[in-house]
């Protein structure tokens, strides 16, 4: 199998940022310029994640995202602050093909069940952020890795597959932005548990 490389762009307001382990934000540019660059590169897919949407509890900026989607020639996925079916419906209407749900996988799994039934599991991506705790154990986190959930990644991924997610976006918080390689052990633990596609994130150099 030939792996696919999917650029992930982090939104902070209407700008793009780079982070290290979900902190140390550095502004890197305008989203529209980035989209045009990746159009020229002919990448297979593009992911936009609003890193503060859930934490700050602000509404999704659909008008801004519509402008981004209008410039994009490849399939788009969006995550950040998705709380209800209407959010998902509007994202699809403005040109996004997939939605990425993180905190709601724990706090509102019913949303995933209903979204999968209405829009198809292929369009629902579950984001799993994994971070080591004080004892070195890798645990699921939500709310931009500020809240730890007492469940491990493989079992969480399997449960999400069973309720309708068509893809897993697996992110190692400890490796994120450091460009020191993926957490291969973590990735293998999840891919061996599920039979849906897994996007590995955190550490690519």
């Amino acid at each position: 199998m030939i792996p696919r490389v999917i650029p992930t762009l982090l939104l902070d307001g209407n700008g793009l940022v780079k982070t290290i382990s979900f902190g140390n934000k550095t502004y890197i540019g305008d989203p529209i310029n980035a989209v045009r660059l990746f159009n020229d590169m002919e990448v297979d897919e593009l992911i936009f994640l609003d890193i503060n949407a859930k934490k700050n509890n602000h509404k999704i900026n659909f008008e801004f995202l519509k402008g981004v989607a209008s410039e994009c020639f490849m399939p788009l996925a969006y995550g950040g602050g998705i709380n209800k079916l209407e959010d998902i419906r509007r994202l699809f209407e403005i040109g996004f093909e997939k939605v990425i749900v993180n905190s709601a996988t724990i706090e509102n799994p019913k949303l995933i069940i209903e979204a999968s039934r209405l829009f198809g599991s292929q369009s629902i991506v579950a984001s799993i952020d994994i971070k080591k705790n004080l004892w070195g154990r890798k645990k699921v986190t939500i709310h931009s890795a500020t809240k730890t959930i007492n469940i491990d990644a493989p079992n969480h991924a399997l449960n999400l597959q069973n309720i309708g997610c068509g893809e897993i976006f697996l992110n190692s918080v400890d490796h994120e932005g450091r460009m020191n390689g993926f957490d291969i052990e973590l990735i293998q633990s999840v891919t061996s548990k599920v039979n849906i596609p897994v996007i590995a994130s955190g550490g690519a150099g």
Side-chain angles (χ1 to χ4, degrees):
M1 178 184 294
I2 299 174
R4 296 162 60 216
V5 178
I6 305 173
T8 301
L9 303 177
L10 305 181
L11 286 168
D12 184 15
N14 292 345
L16 294 180
V17 296
K18 181 186 184 315
T19 59
I20 298 177
S21 296
F22 286 24
N24 299 317
K25 288 188 298 184
T26 302
Y27 176 78
I28 59 173
D30 176 68
I32 299 296
N33 290 336
V35 166
R36 291 168 179 164
L37 176 65
F38 287 119
N39 281 338
D40 292 340
M41 292 181 178
E42 298 182 350
V43 300
D44 293 319
E45 190 173 341
L46 203 55
I47 291 173
F48 277 93
L49 298 178
D50 187 329
I51 62 173
N52 287 319
K54 182 66 178 180
K55 185 166 63 175
N56 295 339
N57 200 29
H58 66 237
K59 294 181 179 180
I60 299 170
N61 189 340
F62 292 103
E63 282 303 310
F64 169 73
L65 293 175
K66 183 177 180 180
V68 170
S70 69
E71 295 284 344
C72 195
F73 297 156
M74 77 288 288
L76 272 176
Y78 170 83
I82 297 172
N83 297 312
K84 51 185 183 292
L85 288 174
E86 182 58 27
D87 293 337
I88 297 173
R89 189 188 308 277
R90 288 190 66 184
L91 286 164
F92 291 154
E93 287 175 350
I94 64 175
F96 285 77
E97 282 80 15
K98 296 179 183 178
V99 295
I100 301 175
V101 183
N102 185 290
S103 297
T105 64
I106 296 294
E107 298 175 338
N108 186 17
K110 185 179 178 182
L111 175 66
I112 293 169
I113 297 170
E114 294 176 343
S116 176
R117 178 177 57 83
L118 284 174
F119 306 113
S121 62
Q122 80 289 339
S123 64
I124 310 301
V125 182
S127 171
I128 304 177
D129 294 330
I130 302 298
K131 185 177 182 179
K132 288 182 181 178
N133 63 17
L134 293 175
W135 297 272
R137 297 180 184 135
K138 298 172 185 177
K139 294 294 183 180
V140 174
T141 65
I142 57 175
H143 295 185
S144 298
T146 60
K147 182 178 180 180
T148 301
I149 307 298
N150 190 28
I151 185 173
D152 60 30
N155 288 321
H156 186 42
L158 180 60
N159 180 57
L160 292 170
Q161 173 185 283
N162 291 340
I163 66 173
C165 286
E167 202 164 23
I168 300 292
F169 181 88
L170 181 66
N171 190 19
S172 168
V173 177
D174 300 296
H175 286 242
E176 191 264 338
R178 298 186 181 275
M179 301 178 69
N180 59 357
F182 291 107
D183 185 337
I184 300 300
E185 180 184 2
L186 171 64
I187 295 165
Q188 289 178 333
S189 72
V190 172
T191 56
S192 65
K193 194 83 169 181
V194 299
N195 55 28
I196 56 177
V198 176
I199 301 170
S201 180

